[in-house]
Amino acid sequence: MADSATDPTANGSSGNTLKGSMYPTTTITTTTRPLDIMITNLSRTDAQAAYSQIASGPVAQNVKDQSAKTTAEFSNLANSRQTPSQPAATGQPLTHYHSFFSELLSWNNPRASAIAYVSIVSLIFVARYLDLIRYTFKLTWMALGVTVLAEVAGKTVLGNGLATQLRPRKYYTVPRETLDSLIGDVHELINFFVIESQRILFAENVTASAVAAFGAFLSYYLVKIVPYWGLALVSTTLLFFVPLVYTTNQELIDHHLKQASDVIESQTEQLRQVANKHTAQATEITKQYLGDYTAKAQQMIRGQTASSKSTQSHLNESDFPKAPKEGFNKKEEEESSEEEDEEEPLIAA
């Protein structure tokens, strides 16, 4: 009886109390269930609090802020695609990619510029270390194989192909507006490179043309020891980070550039003065030599004239033979007699 009185499950009922029992079963059942509910509620509350704390914490807030700033910078970069107000040296308008790349390389939107640089570098490494053409063929035959097997298996087992069930009601087509916009962007991009190459070739900006010439000179020798992908990586890095270094240290660089330009101008002025001095000396020497040669030539001419005159003064008439006068007189008489003979018949007639 003692055992049956102390055993809470001896009577087969958990909801009634037994005589002589100090701990009824109802006390146990009514205390364990609320504890579970409380623990569950507490765990859910803690999870929600932890999630809200993480979601509203400094890390999550920083991520949201950076994401919003990145989106804003990409919007600014996209809005910068406008035709510049300043035309080319020929007067023709530039493309909107001139302002776009100028905004991109100036690092006015650092997150967008950094993402663009990382994307280009990633594409260079992907093109170098991944055989894209081979993987494209592999993905193509795998995708086509899956669709063909699904279609054949569906028709064999179910009587209807699985690829047919997944086929859209209308195939996707490129809208004309999208295609026109894409063609316009490609046209503007091609014209950007064509115009810039001509501006560099004809030295519209002397500094840019000098930098391009120096880069081509280095590339001519580096291409012998550096592969093309390495050369593209170096060019991309210089193209992005040289403007960044300049904008970061603009005052210091401008100061040194001014000093260098002053030194070059002073040296150029000294060379110009030395060249003018030597030119003046050469001109004076040339004039002196020409004067000397002219005086000597005149003296020589005068000496020849004086010698000819002195030679003529020393000559006499007796030094020359006399001309025969009698022969000329006889010939004149004969000619006059012949003329008289011709006139007489005319008179008689």
Side-chain angles (χ1 to χ4, degrees):
M1 290 296 292
D3 293 335
S4 63
T6 57
D7 189 3
T9 59
N11 59 351
S13 176
S14 60
N16 299 323
T17 57
L18 297 176
K19 294 180 180 181
S21 178
M22 296 178 62
Y23 302 99
T25 57
T26 55
T27 305
I28 297 174
T29 56
T30 55
T31 53
T32 55
R33 289 178 181 175
L35 283 174
D36 294 337
I37 295 171
M38 290 175 63
I39 292 171
T40 304
N41 292 332
L42 286 174
S43 62
R44 290 179 180 176
T45 305
D46 293 339
Q48 291 178 357
Y51 177 77
S52 61
Q53 185 177 2
I54 293 173
S56 61
V59 177
Q61 190 65 32
N62 189 16
V63 171
K64 289 181 181 179
D65 294 340
Q66 295 297 327
S67 178
K69 290 179 181 179
T70 303
T71 304
E73 288 185 2
F74 273 107
S75 299
N76 294 333
L77 189 62
N79 294 330
S80 66
R81 295 173 55 186
Q82 297 178 0
T83 302
S85 58
Q86 184 178 1
T90 56
Q92 62 189 117
L94 301 176
T95 64
H96 59 251
Y97 275 103
H98 284 82
S99 57
F100 174 78
F101 284 113
S102 177
E103 185 73 13
L104 178 65
L105 298 177
S106 63
W107 290 82
N108 293 329
N109 303 297
R111 295 169 183 82
S113 299
I115 291 173
Y117 171 73
V118 172
S119 300
I120 295 173
V121 171
S122 300
L123 289 176
I124 292 173
F125 279 107
V126 166
R128 170 62 181 87
Y129 291 104
L130 294 181
D131 194 355
L132 296 178
I133 298 176
R134 184 169 173 268
Y135 283 112
T136 302
F137 286 134
K138 182 179 180 180
L139 182 62
T140 302
W141 75 257
M142 290 177 67
L144 294 177
V146 169
T147 55
V148 169
L149 290 176
E151 183 71 15
V152 172
K155 287 183 177 180
T156 303
V157 178
L158 304 175
N160 194 2
L162 297 178
T164 304
Q165 299 296 325
L166 298 175
R167 184 185 305 152
R169 294 181 179 179
K170 185 179 180 181
Y171 289 116
Y172 176 77
T173 57
V174 180
R176 185 178 182 86
E177 293 79 10
T178 304
L179 190 60
D180 291 340
S181 177
L182 181 62
I183 292 174
D185 286 338
V186 172
H187 178 261
E188 290 288 316
L189 184 61
I190 293 174
N191 281 335
F192 165 76
F193 288 107
V194 172
I195 292 174
E196 280 302 308
S197 61
Q198 293 179 86
R199 294 176 71 187
I200 291 174
L201 178 62
F202 294 105
E204 182 174 334
N205 188 348
V206 179
T207 304
S209 299
V211 171
F214 183 70
F217 175 76
L218 288 181
S219 300
Y220 174 75
Y221 289 99
L222 287 177
V223 77
K224 298 179 181 179
I225 57 176
V226 178
Y228 288 107
W229 68 271
L231 196 62
L233 182 62
V234 172
S235 302
T236 304
T237 303
L238 291 176
L239 186 64
F240 272 87
F241 284 97
V242 167
L244 178 61
V245 172
Y246 175 73
T247 54
T248 306
N249 307 286
Q250 185 174 1
E251 295 182 358
L252 181 63
I253 294 174
D254 289 341
H255 176 68
H256 287 290
L257 288 177
K258 188 177 183 303
Q259 286 184 347
S261 64
D262 292 340
V263 171
I264 292 173
E265 288 180 358
S266 63
Q267 295 295 328
T268 305
E269 184 65 26
Q270 290 180 0
L271 290 175
R272 188 183 295 112
Q273 292 177 359
V274 171
N276 291 332
K277 182 178 179 181
H278 286 292
T279 303
Q281 291 179 356
T283 304
E284 292 294 332
I285 293 172
T286 304
K287 288 181 179 180
Q288 183 178 358
Y289 280 121
L290 287 175
D292 294 339
Y293 287 132
T294 303
K296 290 181 179 179
Q298 290 177 355
Q299 289 179 0
M300 291 176 64
I301 293 171
R302 289 174 183 174
Q304 291 179 358
T305 305
S307 62
S308 62
K309 287 182 179 180
S310 61
T311 304
Q312 290 178 0
S313 61
H314 289 295
L315 293 176
N316 296 322
E317 292 181 358
S318 60
D319 295 333
F320 297 97
K322 295 182 179 181
K325 296 181 179 180
E326 296 179 357
F328 287 104
N329 293 331
K330 289 181 180 181
K331 189 174 183 180
E332 289 177 356
E333 291 176 358
E334 290 177 357
E335 290 178 355
S336 60
S337 62
E338 289 179 357
E339 291 177 357
E340 289 177 357
D341 293 338
E342 290 178 356
E343 289 177 355
E344 288 176 358
L346 291 173
I347 295 170

